[in-house]
Amino acid sequence: MSLHTQYLESFLRSQFYMLRMDGPLPLPYRHYIAIMAAARHQCSYLINMHVDEFLKTGGIAEWLNGLEYIPQRLKNLNEINKLLAHRPWLITKEHIQKLVKTGENNWSLPELVHAVVLLAQYHALASFVFGSGINPERDPDTSNGFRLIAVNKFCVCDLANDNNIENASLASSNFGIVDSLSELEALMERMKRLQEEKEEEEASQEEMATRFEKEKKESLLVVTGAFDDEMVSKSDVSRYIEDPGFGYKDFARRGEEHLPTFRAQDYTWENHGFSLVNRLYSDIGHLLDEKFRMVYNLTYNTMATHEDVDTTMLRRALFNYVHCMFGIRYDDYDYGEVNQLLERSLKVYIKTVTCYPEKTTKRMYDSYWRQFKHSEKVHVNLLLMEARMQAELLYALRAITRHLT
């Protein structure tokens, strides 16, 4: 993240506030919830970090033996953790009611909002961790059992060193530099053409709706391997998970009853989510809002070797494509742009990082935008992470709003 210092500052402010500052939840609870969230994606890197923090803040060591050792109150979060991580559109006000009305183990709304923000943050962070190649593997020779080593020759130390990874991935791929350059030129050309078409004529509302449905259905066809396999849980992670076989299923699955699309206009972050979250857990709304805006507007006006480029259209396509996979539609957005701007290998990468981060490979990372700098690809990961977090929050906060009304 330090490749993007403005964003990093914003990220650290919100992270510090959620984990360390005054808030509805006791400190050990916060770290345990982070562990539960990271475990949904088998993200041992985050789990180990928070196991240490949990103990440092006075957490009860026995809880680290697994879910059967924790208070019922925390156990009750399992369902919402699972749904938020994999199918947030299934969350209803009934899930919220169950949590806030369970007698002695009930959650107050401020506590629940704090928990939901942490769950969404750590699901999204798992996407960033795997997308950036930070994969620790168990190693019996180290004191805590873990060290950072390369998995699939995909190591954080290579990634942090811009030149090596670029040259290595270009040299080792079948595509010469010429191909990658023409890929870049083609993308620039498509952006320019879309901009011109936009200025000439607006698509009708019906046409825009049709294009969203088309994109949603096409996202079904973006397959990155046999995803319906049961997740094989690593033993050290599985103790923190209930129902390990539960994973992402496409929002727009064929043959199923159509789930209603979440029309972004009906429940927006700016007009609804922000004020609700801020009211129940003061100031977190401002910090999250700053982080979302920061990543959405972050630009250096460059694309690979080109300067003075307006990348707004590309950033918006990335953000909206993630929301599209979660069934969220913007009435004023032309989803035809997603198809024009995001080629197939990039879509495969986005879907994997967002929906099944633990399956991300270096090959996927290398296969899109071969001429772009590593820092630009990290920027993509930041956009995907924040878009995912916002999508989860919108579904959870909408359910809380319905519970309140």
Side-chain angles (χ1 to χ4, degrees), residues 34 50 58 75 81 197 220 241 264 269 275 307 310 360 388 394 400:
H50 287 281
K75 264 189 213 161
N81 180 23
E197 284 170 10
L220 285 175
I241 312 173
W269 165 255
S275 52
E307 312 240 328
D310 180 356
T360 311
R388 174 180 180 181
L394 283 171
I400 291 172

Side-chain angles (χ1 to χ4, degrees), residues 23 184 188 196 214 216 237 294 301 305 363 365 371 385-386:
L184 171 67
M188 302 271 296
E196 286 163 1
K214 181 167 178 265
K216 199 169 72 173
V237 170
M294 172 65 70
N301 297 309
T305 48
R363 191 168 52 85
Y365 179 92
Q371 266 309 98
M385 166 170 90
E386 294 298 352

Side-chain angles (χ1 to χ4, degrees), residues 32 100 225 240 278-279 295 318 336 348 374 398:
Y32 203 89
V100 296
Y240 302 120
N278 233 22
R279 191 174 87 225
V295 80
L318 288 162
V348 166
H374 171 58
R398 182 178 70 168

Side-chain angles (χ1 to χ4, degrees), residues 264-276 289 293 394:
Q265 282 64 20
D266 298 340
Y267 195 91
T268 65
W269 165 255
E270 293 78 10
N271 300 336
H272 308 92
F274 169 79
S275 52
L276 175 69
D289 192 57
R293 284 174 197 275
L394 283 171

Side-chain angles (χ1 to χ4, degrees), residues 194 198 202-213 215 264-265 296 312-324 328-342:
L194 279 170
K198 230 185 168 120
E202 290 280 308
S204 69
Q205 278 302 314
E206 292 83 310
E207 177 59 23
M208 304 258 258
T210 309
R211 287 175 190 176
F212 170 76
E213 291 303 327
E215 199 47 58
Q265 282 64 20
Y296 197 77
T312 311
M313 191 179 264
L314 195 51
R315 296 195 309 273
R316 193 173 181 194
L318 288 162
F319 201 89
N320 287 1
Y321 185 57
V322 171
H323 280 198
C324 174
I328 297 172
R329 173 183 169 224
Y330 293 85
D331 284 354
D332 60 350
Y333 182 67
D334 179 356
Y335 286 85
E337 290 183 16
V338 166
N339 246 355
Q340 292 280 317
L341 297 175
L342 311 183

Side-chain angles (χ1 to χ4, degrees), residues 5 18 67 83 103 166 175 235 249 280 291 310 357 366 374:
T5 47
M18 279 177 224
L67 296 178
L83 293 176
E166 260 139 42
F175 305 95
S235 58
K249 287 277 185 278
L280 292 167
K291 192 161 63 99
D310 180 356
D366 286 342
H374 171 58

